[in-house]
Amino acid sequence: MEPQVGSSSSSSSSYDVFINFRGEDTRNTFVGHLYRALKDSGIHVFVDSKDLWKGENIGPELLRAIKGSKLSIALLSERYAESRWCLLELSQMLECHRINGQIIFPIFFKVNPSDVKNQTGNFEISPQKHGKEKPQTLDTWKEALREVGVKSGWVFNDGNDEAELVEGIVQDASIRLNRVPLIDVKYPTGLESRVESVLTLLSNTNSKDVLFLGIWGLGGIGKTTIATTVYNRICGKFSKSCFLNDIGDTASQLNGIDCLQQKLLCNVFNNEMKIYNPKQGSRLIKERLGKIDILLILDDVSHHTQLDALAGDINWFGPGSRIIITTRDQGTLCRIPENDRKVYEPKELNIKESLQLFSSYAFSMNKPPEDYMQVSNDIIHTTGGLPLALEVLGSYLSMEKEKEVWQSMLRKLKQVPHDDVYGKLKISYDKLHDNIEKAMFLDAACCFIGYEEEIVISIWEACGYEPRFRLEVLKKKSLLKINEQKVRTGTYIRKSKVLLMHDQIRDMGRQIVNNQNPTKLGKHSRLWSYDNIMKVLSGGKGNEMVGALPRSKNHILNTKIFKKMPNLRLLRVDGVTLEGNFQCLPSTLRFLSWCYCPLEELPTNFYHEEIVMLDLSHGYFKLAWNNCLENKVFQQLKVLKLSNCVKLFESPNFSGFPCLERLYLDGCSLVNLHESIGKLQQLVYLNLGFCISLKKLPNSICRLSSLQKLILSHCILLTELPKSIGDLKESLVELLLDYTNIKALPDGVGLLKKLEVLDLSHCFSLVDLPRSLENMTYLRYILLSGRAKLRYIPKLPSNLIELRFCELLSSLTDLRNMKRLEILWLKNLCVKEEQQFIRGIVRKSYGEFNLMALACQICVHYSWLMHGQFFKLMIDRSSLVLSSQREHVLGETINVKDKFGYVCRREMKVIFVNTRFLMMRSVAGG
């Protein structure tokens, strides 16, 4: 919502200005002149008199006058501090400033501001001078003088022009009092928490520092609404304030930057200034605002040159200034030094907030009527929590009471966004720098959402796009996100970066493609709708990208149709039967997804020299590339997915993939790997997980000099690793062996100096670990859970972060050297009294209790633990938590609750306790 100027919000103010002064010094001179000048300007002024004082405290009428005034003037004269009434008034004025944002103008009338700030000279506050006052009162007065002493104000000395000073004060007071708040948002659903987040960021810095704060996010997320509300909340706390909206649009017009600079100076100083060029405007802004504390909102900044012209540096503004920038492009903020800026990214509304906001516009109530509840819920799910979309749709549907119209709108929204929302969001797309950025955005919107970042980068690199740089541009413009998602591989949880996009942004991108030529699908650059894809393929039209065909349709396509598609780059034909010569596929093709391929054997002519990614997951073929000629290779292929090809018993010959980087064979029925695997010198990722028939790895696998990750999880027939595994010492980072039947790790494992993750969980046959583990200085995670029959655990590396033991024998290693250990996971463990395996672990964090889960049987003598402290000790069998977080004593028996909050039958006895650590054992366990 764009801010608009409207009438001032209702106010309880009784007066415009309250004047605080010592009467004997200035009542009949300066204050008299100031009072008359303010009155002549139409300003309602309150001047106190002795008749208002009742006893020792501020009288009710005077208190109402201070609280009810919009602006207070503190006239600090030579004998000001001798008056307890002046100091009491000043304390009350500052309290109103802190609570309500009341404006305070200090005037240092023939006094030194530093004396006021430091309470020196005539402004000394002491028991000797104010003997009747309580110490707390004196402290309050000192703080009040310190606060007013550091505020910017007027300094008047002998020789200054009193009339000029009075004129300046009246002019400034008129500007401040005539400031009209921006109109608030009609329905502030979800707004308060977002505004509070911004206010917290603004306050978490020195009050005298100049701070830039960026509110960054996609169009329609509510950036302007948040900035407007923040402006209304805090503008009164600044000497000056200004809200400049639609900066991007204005700047794009002729002399737009000059116009914005002129508007800024005019709004702040209330008089017209002619600016002839941006350089002159920037110089004037710096000169005029350099000593003023200002709240400046720069709304919808689209390029860093606009920011350079209006707020080029922190030294353009006085101490305590706050400059808030709303933008869709995070790159506009990068010119501001990191120490001087903060960034807030508003999140989408949740389901509850979305329903309430939509209902407010559609029905003028917090939730829809019961008979409209389901269709309303369906509609808000299409908006992705975007406030703009909820407002537009709610307002539109408020005029339509026929439920059939609502259902029709819902069907349309599932295909394309509403026109008003589309137009707002498309601004970001239109401002992309070049056609390659636009092509990458449309690729992502139509095809790559949910794909791993590195895979998509490989495809785009093959298209000549320089994607790493341009991806950053798309992210900073809020058109694309790269999110880390947790992916479980066996027991180990890794993070994977995937491409994500807001639903409304995705729909906007797809609508751009639809609008390329609404009546001729063959002119569309990309297709993803099944019906449209079939129409185009049947006609052999020329598109760059064809989306996925539903595999349940069992369609048969002849490869000849692709001869008429010379620009085809991306093709998904999952579940389709392709017939004919595969050399008909155009040379421009870079990505082919043919999941659920129904063929029992891949044809000998199935190769392509330019494809970068080939996905044949869930295929039904038994043989693949075993009969290919050497000159028939996938020369550029970097990613090959054969996941879950359950009939693939014989390993492919890998000679035809010289540039392969990622190979997925997980879930296949391979018995052995072809020796040619060793030729893949660029391979960094090899997934053989769940190859339950795989018995042995070829020695050639140890020649993969670039291999970083080797996944063998759930290869249940695998009993050993190649002895030369140590040859991967310069590359291998992760080795996952969970749920294998490996009996012993070869000594070569200890040579893997780059290894960070070693997963041996549920290796039930494992009996030995190499003693050389201690030398693996990069190792961070060792997982040893399961009923392993380890005879001996060697000394482990000191840099471990996570260590898991589960159902092991009691021969545990000494952990005293592990200074970085963060997680120690023990399960079903019983240790003997003489074992001091836990001593010496360094504490990293402090919580009420570190132990929030416990085992069925654990017996550790508490005195051993007094020598060390812990970060996180997870002694786990079930989700048992403490019944309360209170102090416990040794020997006490307490109940524990399960994850549903029910008290368990088992009682636990406290065997160790201090202020931050609690350990218990089962009473039944002795």
Side-chain angles (χ1 to χ4, degrees):
M1 175 181 290
E2 304 299 330
Q4 300 173 8
V5 175
S7 58
S8 175
S9 58
S10 61
S11 173
S12 60
S13 299
S14 305
Y15 298 92
D16 293 320
V17 175
F18 178 91
I19 303 180
N20 162 250
F21 65 100
R22 192 175 191 278
E24 295 178 18
D25 290 352
T26 56
R27 181 184 297 277
N28 297 320
T29 54
F30 182 80
V31 170
H33 302 151
L34 179 60
Y35 176 77
R36 281 191 295 275
L38 289 167
K39 291 272 287 182
D40 290 344
S41 296
I43 295 173
H44 191 195
V45 191
F46 181 92
V47 178
D48 67 343
S49 67
K50 292 181 181 178
D51 295 337
L52 292 177
W53 291 100
K54 308 294 182 185
E56 296 295 311
N57 299 313
I58 298 178
E61 187 175 344
L62 185 61
L63 186 62
R64 281 196 297 272
I66 295 173
K67 287 184 175 180
S69 296
K70 301 172 185 175
L71 185 150
S72 292
I73 296 175
L75 184 63
L76 299 146
S77 56
E78 187 175 2
R79 300 179 61 195
Y80 178 94
E82 295 177 13
S83 170
R84 72 185 306 271
W85 316 122
C86 286
L87 294 170
L88 285 168
E89 285 179 1
L90 183 65
S91 300
Q92 184 63 48
M93 288 157 52
L94 285 161
E95 184 178 347
C96 291
H97 171 70
R98 285 189 291 266
I99 296 174
N100 303 319
Q102 187 184 94
I103 306 162
I104 295 180
F105 281 0
I107 304 172
F108 302 97
F109 193 79
K110 301 181 182 180
V111 299
N112 192 333
S114 65
D115 287 339
V116 179
K117 174 184 174 182
N118 301 317
Q119 296 95 60
T120 55
N122 290 337
F123 286 86
E124 181 185 0
I125 304 294
S126 65
Q128 290 75 24
K129 294 181 67 173
H130 306 84
K132 295 181 181 181
E133 305 301 336
K134 297 177 181 179
Q136 298 93 320
T137 302
L138 298 183
D139 290 341
T140 302
W141 291 352
K142 288 179 182 179
E143 179 62 21
L145 288 172
R146 189 196 66 77
E147 280 194 52
V148 79
V150 297
K151 287 187 174 296
S152 59
W154 290 268
V155 179
F156 181 82
N157 294 312
D158 290 331
N160 293 138
D161 189 334
E162 183 177 306
E164 186 179 324
L165 174 62
V166 169
E167 183 183 349
I169 295 169
V170 173
Q171 184 178 1
D172 255 25
S174 299
I175 293 171
R176 299 298 294 272
L177 293 170
N178 288 334
R179 181 188 294 123
V180 181
L182 305 172
I183 288 182
D184 287 324
V185 62
K186 187 176 181 180
Y187 298 114
T189 304
L191 182 60
E192 185 61 31
S193 63
R194 291 156 176 82
V195 169
E196 284 300 321
S197 296
V198 172
L199 294 176
T200 299
L201 287 173
L202 290 173
S203 61
N204 284 346
T205 190
N206 190 302
S207 61
K208 291 302 169 185
D209 289 342
V210 176
L211 177 67
F212 286 73
L213 185 141
I215 303 178
W216 165 62
L218 57 89
I221 198 68
K223 302 182 295 296
T224 300
T225 301
I226 294 169
T228 302
T229 308
V230 169
Y231 179 87
N232 287 342
R233 292 270 182 94
I234 65 174
C235 64
K237 298 182 180 181
F238 297 83
S239 299
K240 305 285 184 181
S241 63
C242 179
F243 194 116
L244 288 180
N245 59 356
D246 294 328
I247 286 175
D249 284 345
T250 305
S252 65
Q253 299 168 10
L254 183 64
N255 299 323
I257 293 291
D258 308 25
C259 178
L260 286 166
Q261 292 173 327
Q262 192 168 309
K263 185 177 179 182
L264 168 58
L265 291 169
C266 180
N267 285 356
V268 172
F269 297 106
N270 203 30
N271 80 36
E272 294 290 338
M273 295 184 186
K274 185 63 178 175
I275 292 175
Y276 297 97
N277 60 69
K279 286 188 177 180
Q280 180 210 9
S282 296
R283 179 176 54 78
L284 281 173
I285 292 171
K286 181 178 179 180
E287 288 176 357
R288 301 295 297 273
L289 300 181
K291 294 183 180 179
I292 298 173
D293 61 302
I294 185 172
L295 172 64
L296 177 59
I297 312 290
L298 303 176
D299 180 53
D300 196 23
V301 176
S302 60
H303 197 270
H304 66 80
T305 54
Q306 299 156 17
L307 191 59
D308 291 344
L310 296 167
D313 202 339
I314 60 170
N315 60 18
W316 287 26
F317 307 97
S321 295
R322 298 289 183 264
I323 296 85
I324 298 176
I325 304 118
T326 73
T327 181
R328 303 179 187 209
D329 186 355
Q330 193 182 26
T332 60
L333 307 173
C334 294
R335 301 283 281 270
I336 307 166
E338 196 167 335
N339 292 337
D340 302 324
R341 75 170 190 261
K342 295 183 179 179
V343 179
Y344 173 68
E345 185 181 2
K347 302 301 180 187
E348 297 83 0
L349 299 180
N350 60 35
I351 295 297
K352 182 179 178 181
E353 292 169 336
S354 297
L355 185 62
Q356 183 178 338
L357 184 60
F358 172 79
S359 182
S360 296
Y361 282 101
F363 304 104
S364 298
M365 51 199 294
N366 284 338
K367 64 178 183 178
E370 194 59 39
D371 55 335
Y372 278 82
M373 181 64 76
Q374 184 59 52
V375 67
S376 296
N377 270 305
D378 292 341
I379 287 172
I380 68 166
H381 275 87
T382 69
T383 68
L386 195 69
L388 171 69
L390 293 161
E391 178 184 342
V392 168
L393 295 175
S395 299
Y396 174 78
L397 291 170
S398 66
M399 300 178 289
E400 301 289 346
K401 299 305 179 186
E402 295 294 330
K403 196 176 292 187
E404 290 77 10
V405 175
W406 284 55
Q407 295 289 356
S408 175
M409 172 61 76
L410 174 60
R411 289 190 293 272
K412 179 184 176 184
L413 291 172
K414 288 180 178 179
Q415 300 295 322
V416 297
H418 189 279
D419 288 346
D420 292 345
V421 180
Y422 169 78
K424 183 83 172 179
L425 296 179
K426 189 173 178 287
I427 294 171
S428 298
Y429 171 83
D430 291 335
K431 290 185 177 180
L432 290 173
H433 298 145
D434 55 41
N435 289 333
I436 292 180
E437 287 178 5
K438 291 179 178 180
M440 286 176 57
F441 168 72
L442 296 179
D443 282 358
C446 297
C447 187
F448 289 142
I449 295 174
Y451 275 67
E452 287 192 48
E453 179 187 24
E454 287 301 318
I455 291 176
V456 180
I457 284 175
S458 296
I459 296 170
W460 279 331
E461 282 177 340
C463 297
Y465 283 177
E466 289 298 332
R468 294 187 188 275
F469 168 75
R470 288 188 164 94
L471 262 179
E472 290 302 312
V473 173
L474 294 176
K475 287 193 292 182
K476 287 177 179 178
K477 290 186 179 293
S478 305
L479 290 171
L480 192 63
K481 292 182 179 180
I482 306 294
N483 275 21
E484 280 194 345
Q485 292 186 349
K486 291 183 177 179
V487 179
R488 180 181 291 276
T489 306
T491 310
Y492 177 64
I493 298 175
R494 65 180 178 89
K495 292 180 180 179
S496 175
K497 291 183 178 180
V498 298
L499 272 63
L500 295 179
M501 190 178 286
H502 191 280
D503 290 352
Q504 292 286 315
I505 295 290
R506 175 203 63 201
D507 294 345
M508 178 268 291
R510 294 181 175 183
Q511 184 62 14
I512 289 172
V513 174
N514 282 336
N515 289 342
Q516 289 170 348
N517 197 319
T519 59
K520 294 183 179 180
L521 293 175
K523 299 293 184 180
H524 291 185
S525 61
R526 296 155 183 85
L527 295 174
W528 59 93
S529 160
Y530 166 72
D531 291 334
N532 290 342
I533 290 171
M534 288 311 303
K535 289 177 184 177
V536 169
L537 291 180
S538 299
K541 306 293 175 58
N543 299 70
E544 293 180 24
M545 175 195 297
V546 175
L549 293 174
R551 61 178 181 272
S552 59
K553 298 296 181 178
N554 294 322
H555 282 283
I556 300 175
L557 293 174
N558 195 291
T559 56
K560 289 181 181 180
I561 64 175
F562 298 110
K563 278 188 173 182
K564 298 180 181 180
M565 299 182 179
N567 298 316
L568 188 66
R569 294 184 297 117
L570 309 164
L571 174 64
R572 296 184 65 183
V573 285
D574 299 344
V576 171
T577 300
L578 288 178
E579 295 180 342
N581 190 338
F582 283 87
Q583 301 314 298
C584 294
L585 295 173
S587 60
T588 54
L589 193 64
R590 297 294 179 267
F591 166 74
L592 173 60
S593 176
W594 191 13
C595 297
Y596 297 92
C597 168
L599 304 181
E600 291 192 0
E601 184 176 343
L602 292 180
T604 55
N605 65 355
F606 181 47
Y607 70 95
H608 195 287
E609 292 189 352
E610 302 298 333
I611 284 180
V612 174
M613 178 178 174
L614 177 61
D615 190 353
L616 297 172
S617 300
H618 301 278
Y620 296 98
F621 44 85
K622 299 176 181 179
L623 291 173
W625 300 292
N626 298 71
N627 303 316
C628 286
L629 300 175
E630 278 194 25
N631 61 338
K632 294 182 178 181
V633 296
F634 286 81
Q635 191 65 46
Q636 302 298 327
L637 193 68
K638 293 185 178 181
V639 182
L640 175 60
K641 283 196 167 190
L642 299 172
S643 303
N644 299 304
C645 293
V646 293
K647 295 185 178 181
L648 188 62
F649 293 96
E650 188 175 342
S651 169
N653 185 325
F654 299 103
S655 302
F657 313 103
C659 295
L660 201 62
E661 295 178 0
R662 301 174 69 88
L663 176 58
Y664 298 79
L665 291 165
D666 49 306
C668 294
S669 300
L670 302 176
V671 177
N672 292 297
L673 275 181
H674 198 282
E675 278 288 336
S676 60
I677 188 85
K679 295 183 178 181
L680 304 179
Q681 290 303 295
Q682 297 184 42
L683 195 70
V684 297
Y685 176 95
L686 176 57
N687 191 345
L688 293 163
F690 288 89
C691 288
I692 57 175
S693 300
L694 187 65
K695 297 179 179 179
K696 189 177 180 181
L697 296 176
N699 287 324
S700 62
I701 205 170
C702 302
R703 296 199 296 269
L704 298 174
S705 57
S706 300
L707 189 63
Q708 296 176 15
K709 183 161 187 174
L710 177 57
I711 301 175
L712 296 164
S713 305
H714 291 266
C715 293
I716 57 177
L717 296 184
L718 189 66
T719 58
E720 62 180 3
L721 292 176
K723 292 181 179 179
S724 55
I725 191 73
D727 292 348
L728 302 177
K729 59 186 177 182
E730 297 295 338
S731 63
L732 198 61
V733 175
E734 296 179 23
L735 178 58
L736 308 186
L737 299 167
D738 51 303
Y739 290 94
T740 62
N741 266 299
I742 286 181
K743 297 177 181 178
L745 294 181
D747 290 335
V749 169
L751 300 175
L752 299 173
K753 60 182 182 180
K754 296 291 182 66
L755 197 69
E756 294 181 11
V757 178
L758 178 58
D759 189 351
L760 296 165
S761 53
H762 303 283
C763 291
F764 304 131
S765 302
L766 188 65
V767 292
D768 284 318
L769 292 174
R771 295 180 182 272
S772 54
L773 281 180
E774 182 184 5
N775 301 323
M776 300 172 69
T777 55
Y778 276 74
L779 201 59
R780 300 291 182 267
Y781 304 90
I782 294 184
L783 290 76
L784 286 165
S785 59
R787 296 181 179 84
K789 301 177 177 60
L790 287 173
R791 295 177 293 209
Y792 168 78
I793 298 180
K795 194 171 183 180
L796 298 176
S798 60
N799 287 327
L800 281 180
I801 293 173
E802 180 175 344
L803 177 60
R804 299 189 182 203
F805 291 121
C806 179
E807 297 175 342
L808 295 172
L809 298 179
S810 58
S811 302
L812 292 176
T813 184
D814 192 335
L815 307 182
R816 282 175 289 184
N817 66 324
M818 296 185 186
K819 304 302 183 185
R820 299 184 60 192
L821 193 64
E822 294 181 1
I823 298 178
L824 173 60
W825 191 304
L826 307 175
K827 182 175 180 180
N828 283 3
L829 185 69
C830 186
V831 294
K832 299 176 182 178
E833 291 190 5
E834 63 271 13
Q835 291 175 310
Q836 301 181 24
F837 72 97
I838 301 179
R839 178 184 296 176
I841 300 177
V842 178
R843 185 186 197 87
K844 297 288 185 66
S845 178
Y846 298 92
E848 178 84 15
F849 294 114
N850 285 2
L851 183 59
M852 295 302 290
L854 48 128
C856 181
Q857 298 279 342
I858 180 163
C859 178
V860 179
H861 195 277
Y862 72 89
S863 63
W864 300 338
L865 300 179
M866 297 173 68
H867 300 285
Q869 294 179 317
F870 293 78
F871 168 54
K872 184 184 289 184
L873 175 60
M874 304 187 73
I875 305 171
D876 183 28
R877 178 162 182 180
S878 58
S879 298
L880 302 176
V881 297
L882 302 179
S883 58
S884 63
Q885 290 191 345
R886 61 180 179 83
E887 291 188 7
H888 297 279
V889 296
L890 292 177
E892 178 184 4
T893 300
I894 64 173
N895 291 320
V896 292
K897 296 181 180 180
D898 64 14
K899 61 184 176 182
F900 303 107
Y902 296 106
V903 175
C904 299
R905 295 179 182 177
R906 182 180 305 282
E907 291 183 327
M908 309 302 294
K909 180 174 289 187
V910 176
I911 61 171
F912 172 75
V913 65
N914 65 24
T915 56
R916 296 186 183 276
F917 191 86
L918 174 67
M919 182 169 282
M920 297 179 293
R921 70 174 181 184
S922 167
V923 173

